[in-house]
């Protein structure tokens, strides 16, 4: 989700499709280990029904059947000891 690497800052999906968001922490080109992740949408904890998976260096969330209620700004926040980083992406869901 890091826009500094030329990745998208907005995704447009159709209702009913699935959506997967990935977040990986890099420092000087190296994947950073032992990272804690936290995901939000529009500043609030993600709703029930969103599947999340994490490892020591990455985190992923998946929405199986996205709907217009899933519109918003998704943010991945990462903590690595005293260091913190975040990245966000805007999701727009069009009705069928």
């Amino acid at each position: 989700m890091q826009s500094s690497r030329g990745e998208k800052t907005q995704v447009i999906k159709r209702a009913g499709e699935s959506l997967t968001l990935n977040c990986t922490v890099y420092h000087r080109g190296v994947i950073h280990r032992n990272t804690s992740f936290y995901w939000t949408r529009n500043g609030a904890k993600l709703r029930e029904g969103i599947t999340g998976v994490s490892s020591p260096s990455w985190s992923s969330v998946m929405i199986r059947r996205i709907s217009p209620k899933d519109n918003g700004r998704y943010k991945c926040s990462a903590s690595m000891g005293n260091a913190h980083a975040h990245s966000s992406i805007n999701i727009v869901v069009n009705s069928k």
Side-chain angles (χ1 to χ4, degrees), residues 7-19:
E7 294 181 14
K8 296 179 183 180
T9 57
Q10 178 169 296
V11 172
I12 300 173
K13 300 289 276 184
R14 296 189 82 168
E17 294 181 331
S18 66
L19 172 70

Side-chain angles (χ1 to χ4, degrees), residues 3 29 39 56 60 66:
S3 59
W39 288 87
S60 178
I66 199 163

Side-chain angles (χ1 to χ4, degrees), residues 41-78:
R41 182 180 65 85
N42 298 331
K45 183 179 175 182
L46 295 181
R47 69 174 174 82
E48 292 295 319
I50 296 178
T51 305
V53 179
S54 292
S55 82
S57 61
W58 59 266
S59 180
S60 178
V61 294
M62 180 177 172
I63 306 170
R64 293 193 188 280
R65 293 182 48 87
I66 199 163
S67 71
K69 70 180 178 183
D70 295 309
N71 282 333
R73 174 86 68 219
Y74 286 75
K75 181 178 177 181
C76 172
S77 299

